[in-house]
C-alpha cells in the first residue's frame, strides 16, 4: 500500500490513468490482429485506416531523402518551414483562405494536436463541451489533462440522437443549465466536421453560427477537420480557419492516407489577436514532442502533389464503399432514414440497431468477429451515455471494396442465423 498526500493507494498508477477509458476500437483491432496471427481471415471495418498506403509522391520524397543521406534530425518545433508554407497554400487553393504560415504548427498526428490545443487553452478543472456522440479521444485526453468533458446535446433526437451537431440553442441551453445548477462555466467546445462516427457535415453558415454562439458565451471553439475533402455529396466541408479565435486541427492520416506516419497540423488564432495561444502551443510542443517525425514531414509536404489525382480516386472508392454498406444495411431490413446517421462525409456509417435486437453492442461485435471474422466497432466508444452506445455500431468503409462486400454478405448470413431484425415486439419496444 502506497501513500500520496495523506491518501493511500494500492498501486503506482495515477488517478488520471484510472479515469481514462480504453479506446475500444483499438481493443477490437487487437483481438482482430490476434485472430489473424492464428491464421484467420479478418475483414476490417473497425478502424478508420485507409487500406491504401501513402501517396506515391510522399513515398518517393521520403525515399529520396533517406537515400541522399539526409540526417532526419530535429526540425524547428513548429515544423519544417517549407511544409508549413505548403499547408498555408493548401488553404488558399481549396478554401480561398489566406493563412500566414506562422499560424501553422506541424504535430505528431492530430492526437498530439489535441493534447497541445487542450493543454494550451484549458486548465485542470475546466469544463469542455463535447457532442454527446463524438470521437472518444476528446473525452479521454481531456480527462487525462484534468478537465471535465461535458456532453452537449445535438439537434437530432429519438433513435437519431447525436446524429447531428449542437447548434447555438443547444450551447445556450447548456450554459444556462450549468449556471442554474451552480456548476463551473463551459470553457471550450470541440466539434468535428465531417464527424466521426456519424459522417455528418456542417455547412459554412452552421459552422459560423456555432462559432458565434461560442464567442457570445466566452467559449473557446476547436474545429477538428481531419476528414476534410472526404465528401460523398459533392459538397466541400467548411473550414473554420478564417473564423476569429478558433483553433483548427487537421491531419495527413485520413484524406492523405498516411495514418502510421503520424503527422498532422494545427492552425492557431492570428498572432496579432492572441499571441499567447500560439506561444503556449509552441512551448508545449518544444517540451512534449520536440517536433513531428522529420521523415514524415518530408513525405507530407510531397503528398499534396497527388491530392487531385491519386487521393481524389480514393474518395471515389470510399463513396462506392459507402453505397455497399448502406445497401447491405438496407438488405438487413435496417431503416436508413430512422436508424442510420447521415454519412455525408468521412468514411463511416453509424447505425442504431436497438430496434433490430442489439442491446449489448460490445458483446454483439465480439461475437460477430469471433464467428465470422468481420470486425466492427461498438458504439460505446463514441457515446457519453452507455445505454445509447450499447445499441449502436460503427462501420468503417475505407478498406478494400471486395472485403467490404464480403463482410456485408457475411453479416447478412450471421444476422439472419441469429434472429436479428425488426419484429413487431421489437418495433413496439423501440417506440
Amino acid at each position: 500500500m502506497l501513500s500520496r498526500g495523506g491518501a493511500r493507494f494500492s498501486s503506482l498508477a495515477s488517478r488520471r490513468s484510472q479515469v481514462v477509458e480504453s479506446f475500444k476500437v483499438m481493443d477490437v483491432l487487437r483481438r482482430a490482429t490476434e485472430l489473424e496471427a492464428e491464421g484467420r481471415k479478418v475483414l476490417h471495418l473497425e478502424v478508420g485506416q485507409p487500406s491504401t498506403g501513402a501517396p506515391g509522391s510522399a513515398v518517393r520524397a521520403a525515399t529520396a531523402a533517406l537515400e541522399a543521406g539526409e540526417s532526419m534530425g530535429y526540425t524547428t518545433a513548429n515544423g519544417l518551414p517549407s511544409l508549413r508554407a505548403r499547408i498555408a497554400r493548401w488553404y488558399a487553393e481549396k478554401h480561398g483562405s489566406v493563412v500566414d504560415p506562422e499560424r501553422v504548427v506541424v504535430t505528431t498526428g492530430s492526437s498530439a494536436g489535441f493534447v497541445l490545443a487542450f493543454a494550451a487553452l484549458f486548465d485542470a478543472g475546466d469544463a469542455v463541451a463535447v457532442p454527446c456522440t463524438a470521437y472518444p479521444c476528446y473525452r479521454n485526453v481531456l480527462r487525462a489533462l484534468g478537465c471535465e468533458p461535458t456532453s452537449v446535446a445535438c439537434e437530432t433526437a429519438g433513435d437519431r440522437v447525436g446524429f447531428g451537431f449542437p447548434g447555438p440553442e443547444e450551447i445556450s441551453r447548456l450554459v444556462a443549465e450549468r449556471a442554474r445548477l451552480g456548476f463551473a462555466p463551459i470553457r471550450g467546445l470541440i466539434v468535428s466536421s465531417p464527424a466521426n462516427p456519424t459522417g455528418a457535415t456542417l455547412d459554412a453558415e452552421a459552422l459560423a453560427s456555432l462559432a458565434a454562439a461560442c464567442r457570445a458565451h466566452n467559449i473557446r471553439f476547436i474545429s477538428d477537420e481531419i476528414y476534410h475533402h472526404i465528401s460523398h455529396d459533392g459538397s466541400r466541408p467548411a473550414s473554420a480557419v478564417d473564423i476569429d479565435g478558433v483553433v483548427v486541427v487537421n491531419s495527413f492520416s485520413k484524406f492523405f492516407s498516411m495514418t502510421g506516419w503520424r503527422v498532422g497540423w494545427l492552425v492557431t488564432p492570428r498572432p496579432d489577436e492572441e499571441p499567447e495561444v500560439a506561444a503556449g502551443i509552441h512551448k508545449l510542443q518544444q517540451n512534449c514532442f520536440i517536433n513531428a517525425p522529420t521523415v514524415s514531414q518530408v513525405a507530407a509536404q510531397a503528398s499534396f502533389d497527388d491530392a487531385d489525382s491519386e487521393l481524389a480516386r480514393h474518395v471515389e472508392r470510399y463513396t462506392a464503399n459507402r453505397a455497399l454498406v448502406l445497401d447491405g444495411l438496407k438488405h438487413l431490413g435496417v431503416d436508413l432514414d430512422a436508424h442510420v446517421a447521415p454519412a455525408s462525409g468521412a468514411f463511416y456509417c453509424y447505425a442504431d440497431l436497438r430496434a433490430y435486437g442489439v442491446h449489448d453492442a460490445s458483446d454483439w461485435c465480439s461475437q460477430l468477429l469471433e464467428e465470422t471474422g468481420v470486425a466492427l466497432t461498438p458504439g460505446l466508444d463514441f457515446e457519453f451515455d452507455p445505454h445509447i452506445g450499447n445499441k449502436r455500431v460503427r462501420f468503417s468503409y475505407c478498406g478494400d471494396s471486395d472485403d467490404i462486400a464480403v463482410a456485408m454478405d457475411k453479416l447478412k448470413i450471421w444476422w439472419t442465423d441469429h434472429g436479428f431484425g425488426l419484429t413487431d415486439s421489437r418495433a413496439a419496444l423501440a417506440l
Side-chain angles (χ1 to χ4, degrees), residues 346-361:
F347 36 57
Y348 306 111
C349 285
Y350 193 54
D352 189 306
L353 300 178
R354 180 172 70 106
Y356 310 92
V358 176
H359 303 289
D360 185 337

Side-chain angles (χ1 to χ4, degrees), residues 369-383:
L369 175 60
E370 297 294 333
E371 296 180 9
T372 71
V374 176
L376 301 175
T377 303
L380 281 171
D381 233 3
F382 309 103
E383 304 287 348

Side-chain angles (χ1 to χ4, degrees), residues 142-214:
L142 285 166
R143 288 189 181 112
L145 293 173
C147 297
E148 177 196 347
T150 302
S151 176
V152 58
C154 297
E155 294 166 328
T156 49
D159 285 340
R160 297 181 64 80
V161 65
F163 285 2
F165 292 97
E169 289 185 5
E170 285 75 24
I171 298 301
S172 296
R173 191 177 302 121
L174 176 63
V175 169
E177 180 66 7
R178 289 184 67 87
R180 184 183 70 81
L181 295 172
F183 293 167
I186 296 294
R187 296 298 187 193
L189 168 70
I190 182 165
V191 166
S192 64
S193 173
N196 176 13
T198 64
T201 303
L202 283 168
D203 61 26
E205 183 179 357
L207 181 65
S209 295
L210 185 56
C214 286

Side-chain angles (χ1 to χ4, degrees), residues 93-357:
E93 294 169 350
K94 299 300 181 181
H95 298 280
S97 300
V98 177
V99 174
D100 184 343
E102 288 299 309
R103 294 174 59 194
V104 177
V105 179
V106 181
T107 61
T108 308
S110 61
S111 298
F114 297 136
V115 172
L116 291 169
F118 294 162
L121 298 175
F122 310 124
D123 289 315
D126 281 352
V128 179
V130 178
C132 57
T133 301
Y135 179 56
C137 294
Y138 301 154
R139 303 191 305 270
N140 292 335
V141 173
L142 285 166
R143 288 189 181 112
L145 293 173
C147 297
E148 177 196 347
T150 302
S151 176
V152 58
C154 297
E155 294 166 328
T156 49
D159 285 340
R160 297 181 64 80
V161 65
F163 285 2
F165 292 97
E169 289 185 5
E170 285 75 24
I171 298 301
S172 296
R173 191 177 302 121
L174 176 63
V175 169
E177 180 66 7
R178 289 184 67 87
R180 184 183 70 81
L181 295 172
F183 293 167
I186 296 294
R187 296 298 187 193
L189 168 70
I190 182 165
V191 166
S192 64
S193 173
N196 176 13
T198 64
T201 303
L202 283 168
D203 61 26
E205 183 179 357
L207 181 65
S209 295
L210 185 56
C214 286
R215 279 197 305 276
H217 293 290
N218 198 30
I219 294 170
R220 176 69 71 176
F221 185 35
I222 301 172
S223 180
D224 177 358
E225 302 179 359
I226 71 170
Y227 293 98
H228 263 208
H229 306 288
I230 304 175
S231 176
H232 310 296
D233 59 6
S235 65
R236 177 180 297 168
S239 175
V241 73
D242 291 322
I243 301 176
D244 290 345
V246 176
V247 174
V248 171
V249 184
N250 212 319
S251 171
F252 289 92
S253 290
K254 308 302 181 178
F255 174 72
F256 293 91
S257 196
M258 296 177 65
T259 53
W261 294 75
R262 306 314 302 141
V263 59
W265 73 86
L266 298 175
V267 182
T268 63
R270 287 193 292 271
D272 58 323
E273 292 185 345
E274 296 185 90
E276 65 279 4
V277 173
I281 288 174
H282 182 68
K283 289 184 289 185
L284 289 164
Q285 173 89 308
Q286 289 174 325
N287 285 278
C288 295
F289 303 102
I290 301 181
N291 62 266
T294 303
V295 68
S296 298
Q297 294 191 55
V298 171
Q301 182 175 331
S303 70
F304 289 101
D305 296 343
D306 284 328
D308 294 325
S309 53
E310 181 180 346
L311 298 179
R313 289 194 297 272
H314 292 345
V315 176
E316 292 174 0
R317 180 170 56 84
Y318 302 150
T319 301
N321 290 351
R322 172 182 180 269
L324 289 173
V325 173
L326 291 175
D327 189 59
L329 289 170
K330 190 174 180 180
H331 279 87
L332 297 179
V334 175
D335 185 331
L336 303 186
D337 292 330
H339 298 126
V340 179
S344 57
F347 36 57
Y348 306 111
C349 285
Y350 193 54
D352 189 306
L353 300 178
R354 180 172 70 106
Y356 310 92

Side-chain angles (χ1 to χ4, degrees), residues 1-23:
M1 188 72 71
L2 303 169
S3 177
R4 181 186 296 152
R8 297 180 70 78
F9 298 87
S10 58
S11 77
L12 288 169
S14 67
R15 288 190 185 96
R16 65 168 54 89
S17 70
Q18 304 307 298
V19 300
V20 172
E21 299 174 6
S22 67
F23 192 6

